[in-house]
Amino acid sequence: MGLDERGQEGAASAARREAAVRAAVRQQVVSARQPVVALLDVRRIRAAAGALRAAFAEVGGGAEILHAFAVKATPLVPVLRLLAAEGLGAEVASPGELALTRAAGVPAARTVLDSPAKTTAELREALAAGITVNVDSREELARLDALLEEAPSTSPVGLRINPQVGGGTIGALSTATATSKFGVALRDEGARAWLVEAYLRRPWLTRVHAHVGSQGCPLELMAAGVREVVELAEEVNRAHLAAGGQGRRIDTVDIGGGLPVNFASDDVAPTHRDYARLLAATVPALFDGRYGLVTEFGRSLLAKSGTILARVEYTKSAGGRRIAVTHAGAQVAVRTVFAPESWPLRVAVFDADGRPKHASPVAQDIAGPCCFAGDLAAVDRLLPRIEAGDHIALLDTGAYYFSHHYAYNTLPRPGVYGFAVHQQDVRFATVRPPQTVEELVAESGGGSHAGDLSALRRP
Ligand SMILES: *Cc1c(COP(=O)(O)O)cnc(C)c1O
């Protein structure tokens, strides 16, 4: 994608977003009764999946590729089904994510299980189903030895490596630091020799996995991490041949996800193509046809397809600061509220009819509905003057935002709606219905548990 193309794709999707906001107000998808909703641009999700596949197809030497969507980014069954129809698989890290994947119809053969804390029961189930398992630690590998002794499995099995190439600008999201909790640390004393031996002794251990990310990590750092694990694979395969083995012990490299997203404008930058090309230049061995490839992108596939749309309930002023009190706060944007420097979001302002406001900007806070002072989606932001009854939109929130609800103040999970725009016509489909008050009561120990504490007697 050239720079112009990036800009054009961004402009087209911004136009669709504006049409969707207007239609959401008109069709009462967002309303006084449902004052915050999330919108997903179906066309953009499809385009992102297609662009990912094309990017790697262009540099790949015919090797087998599985693009497994990282379910944690947007754990919504209709999204997983849409992506599956676009040729993607799924990367899961918990029984819940696996269940969503199954509900979406993603086959076991296109599912990858990662997690640093898999239980024996989870491992047994994955091995029985033929799901790919990436082992995270030496202890987990020992557990797998025992399980495979018990019952053979067709599951491909890999080992997650921490290449220890360093972190990015967001500590909490840097997976390849010297002391990261993930994977087997490659540069620790004796680790390389242990790893080569571990592979040579296990004919079923045929994959290597690394996920160097994510938001805030430069592409060069990510590519350096992949180079480290491919070098390890080459070393293992040489040792395998030297020991009289045939073919290759490691036949597939899982490069993880972690492509950062541009939250500052509608441009897609970097693109999957930028990363695929950098990988091809940095690690040519990955694309010479000897290795199968697995990717696990999340944020970069979904972030720019999502919009949180909320009504402005009131406005006020305090200490000279204008404040818009909206229905979108920490419950839908937890990272932005608690770590605003790392997770700034663009805010767009629409009037009561859902038309974009273009008035000259004034500094305002965008406050949410939660009862703590820091519940602000933006602070001192220059935006067209906001009035009660207007709408605000939090942009690029398709991954790790509304799908990652924070249940403060017993606020409900908002409804999520996919949209498709055709000329003047905008259609919506329910992705996730809004949570009801009855559901909130039930999951908060209501119903049959309501009297349990009062009935508990001292022994
Ligand atoms: C979170 C995660 C991903 C996806 O990361 P993104 O930054 O959303 O692309 C992929 N693989 C693993 C193992 C992860 O933990």
Side-chain angles (χ1 to χ4, degrees):
M1 204 183 282
L3 276 178
D4 285 350
E5 243 174 295
R6 269 175 216 181
Q8 275 167 22
E9 165 67 20
S13 79
R16 284 198 301 276
R17 183 174 65 225
E18 291 194 354
V21 167
R22 182 106 168 88
V25 173
R26 259 207 211 136
Q27 298 179 31
Q28 305 224 326
V29 173
V30 67
S31 66
R33 274 187 46 241
Q34 201 182 175
V36 55
V37 297
L39 306 178
L40 280 171
D41 182 345
V42 172
R43 179 167 162 175
R44 184 150 198 171
I45 296 173
R46 285 208 169 101
L52 168 63
R53 283 174 36 223
F56 279 84
E58 273 172 32
V59 296
E64 204 180 311
I65 302 188
L66 170 66
H67 295 293
F69 173 65
V71 171
K72 78 168 182 280
T74 311
L76 295 167
V77 172
V79 169
L80 304 180
R81 175 144 333 162
L82 182 70
L83 291 172
E86 295 298 321
L88 272 56
E91 183 265 349
V92 301
S94 71
E97 288 181 356
L98 177 58
L100 298 189
T101 300
R102 284 176 165 156
V106 179
R110 301 180 67 74
T111 302
V112 178
L113 175 64
D114 296 337
S115 152
K118 304 174 204 81
T119 64
T120 299
E122 269 180 275
L123 286 168
R124 207 174 259 137
E125 187 185 344
L127 292 171
I131 289 167
T132 296
V133 174
N134 283 322
V135 171
D136 188 80
S137 65
R138 299 178 188 220
E139 289 187 359
E140 189 185 336
L141 191 61
R143 209 180 268 191
L144 230 72
D145 285 335
L147 288 172
L148 289 171
E149 189 102 332
E150 229 174 67
S153 164
T154 58
S155 289
V157 180
L159 196 51
R160 179 164 180 174
I161 305 297
N162 171 10
Q164 292 170 302
V165 289
T169 58
I170 306 177
L173 269 75
S174 294
T175 53
T177 58
T179 57
S180 164
K181 75 170 182 178
F182 291 113
V184 176
L186 181 59
R187 294 182 185 178
D188 282 9
E189 207 184 322
R192 258 194 124 78
W194 181 86
L195 281 163
V196 172
E197 184 64 20
Y199 275 101
L200 291 192
R201 287 170 55 176
R202 294 174 179 83
W204 43 266
L205 192 57
T206 56
R207 297 189 170 195
V208 66
H209 172 225
H211 166 64
V212 179
S214 83
Q215 189 68 19
C217 283
L219 293 194
E220 290 71 22
L221 184 74
M222 294 167 56
V226 173
R227 184 178 56 215
E228 293 285 323
V229 298
V230 170
E231 274 167 13
L232 174 68
E234 300 274 74
E235 185 178 338
V236 166
N237 286 338
R238 280 193 301 271
H240 172 69
L241 288 179
Q246 303 219 316
R248 282 178 294 278
R249 174 52 44 85
I250 295 180
D251 60 22
T252 300
V253 180
D254 181 337
I255 65 168
L259 194 73
V261 162
N262 169 27
F263 286 96
S265 79
D266 279 313
D267 293 352
V268 177
T271 61
H272 289 113
R273 180 178 287 171
D274 294 334
Y275 185 41
R277 285 182 178 170
L278 179 67
L279 280 173
T282 313
V283 204
L286 190 54
F287 299 100
D288 66 11
R290 289 179 298 141
Y291 292 103
L293 186 64
V294 179
T295 75
E296 305 171 344
F297 295 101
R299 181 178 292 104
S300 56
L301 280 163
L302 256 293
K304 296 195 89 64
S305 299
T307 302
I308 293 165
L309 180 61
R311 276 168 66 95
V312 177
E313 197 66 44
Y314 302 104
T315 59
K316 58 165 73 168
S317 153
R321 176 75 56 82
R322 281 195 63 83
I323 302 164
V325 180
T326 81
H327 287 278
Q331 91 276 31
V332 287
V334 67
R335 279 181 172 160
T336 296
V337 166
F338 286 104
E341 298 80 17
S342 298
W343 300 100
L345 284 175
R346 289 185 294 151
V347 178
V349 181
F350 300 87
D351 68 14
D353 296 324
R355 279 182 300 244
K357 279 190 146 180
H358 296 296
S360 56
V362 289
Q364 296 161 92
D365 284 1
I366 306 300
C370 300
C371 294
F372 66 96
D375 186 34
L376 303 167
V379 175
D380 208 11
R381 186 74 63 86
L382 286 169
L383 292 165
R385 189 188 167 101
I386 301 170
E387 313 288 348
D390 284 352
H391 298 85
I392 60 101
L394 305 180
L395 310 187
D396 309 321
T397 46
Y400 302 100
Y401 277 94
F402 53 80
S403 51
H404 290 55
H405 187 72
Y406 176 54
Y408 205 87
N409 281 135
T410 313
L411 287 164
R413 281 187 289 272
V416 180
Y417 304 90
F419 66 83
V421 181
H422 184 66
Q423 289 162 1
Q424 303 303 326
D425 194 22
V426 182
R427 301 243 170 103
F428 292 97
T430 302
V431 173
R432 178 185 74 189
Q435 198 174 22
T436 64
V437 168
E438 292 72 29
E439 286 165 347
L440 287 168
V441 172
E443 76 169 36
S444 302
S448 59
H449 291 299
D452 288 7
L453 278 186
S454 323
L456 188 64
R457 302 249 180 273
R458 267 186 241 131

